[in-house]
Amino acid sequence: MNLVAKEYVAARFDSDGVLILSEFAGAADELKQAVIVNPHDIGALKDSIERAIEMPRRERSTRMRALRKRVRDNDVARWSRSFLEALDRHAPRNVQLDPSATDPADRHREAQTDNMSIFDQDAQSARAAEDTREARDD
């Protein structure tokens, strides 16, 4: 749902429209100019829809411009760059990263040692479930 909300904002070429977003969606933390609602509160959801319908064009436009700027400025390139920079900051001291590499991803690929690993929770969970099934079958 996070990408759907961002796609809606990105697709709005006329700076109009209102994004109504569940407070439980991860995008709600980032897209604060949306109308945020608890989808389990039917009365509040109804009020939010009415508010969006009756919202003055100027407010809709102001909100949508701010949302579009946020989506444009926080794209996947920025996210990946900040993620890799955080990895650099927290890399074990015995990992020698190539300081001449301009792209953080290149610095990780050029690591001198291979003792740094990233834990893949989904893969680990799948292997654990498989091990459990095999143990039950025995």
Side-chain angles (χ1 to χ4, degrees):
M1 290 304 295
N2 293 326
L3 288 179
V4 172
K6 291 178 180 183
E7 287 168 352
Y8 170 76
V9 169
R12 297 301 309 189
F13 59 88
D14 59 358
S15 294
D16 198 4
V18 179
L19 175 62
I20 300 174
L21 192 57
S22 166
E23 65 185 19
F24 304 117
D29 291 335
E30 184 178 357
L31 303 177
K32 301 218 181 278
Q33 295 81 10
V35 174
I36 308 295
V37 65
N38 178 342
H40 302 292
D41 183 343
I42 301 302
L45 182 58
K46 174 187 152 290
D47 292 344
S48 295
I49 293 170
E50 286 177 352
R51 178 179 172 204
I53 291 169
E54 296 168 358
M55 189 177 289
R57 176 160 174 75
R58 183 177 178 136
E59 183 180 352
R60 291 192 317 260
S61 180
T62 299
R63 286 171 174 263
M64 188 56 66
R65 278 196 313 274
L67 288 166
R68 286 179 58 94
K69 181 177 183 340
R70 182 75 177 180
V71 168
R72 184 179 53 247
D73 291 349
N74 293 312
D75 63 359
V76 69
R78 182 175 180 185
W79 176 87
S80 63
R81 191 171 43 253
S82 68
F83 180 82
L84 292 171
E85 287 168 356
L87 281 177
D88 275 349
R89 284 192 305 275
H90 300 288
R93 295 194 193 277
N94 59 347
V95 174
Q96 302 297 316
L97 302 177
D98 180 0
S100 66
T102 56
D103 180 15
D106 291 338
R107 289 197 296 272
H108 286 285
R109 280 191 285 279
E110 297 294 325
Q112 300 292 321
T113 65
D114 62 349
N115 66 347
M116 183 167 53
S117 63
I118 297 174
F119 183 70
D120 182 347
Q121 179 65 41
D122 291 334
Q124 293 293 330
S125 297
R127 280 193 287 277
E130 187 176 312
D131 292 344
T132 302
R133 279 191 296 275
E134 287 176 8
R136 286 183 185 154
D137 291 342
D138 290 343

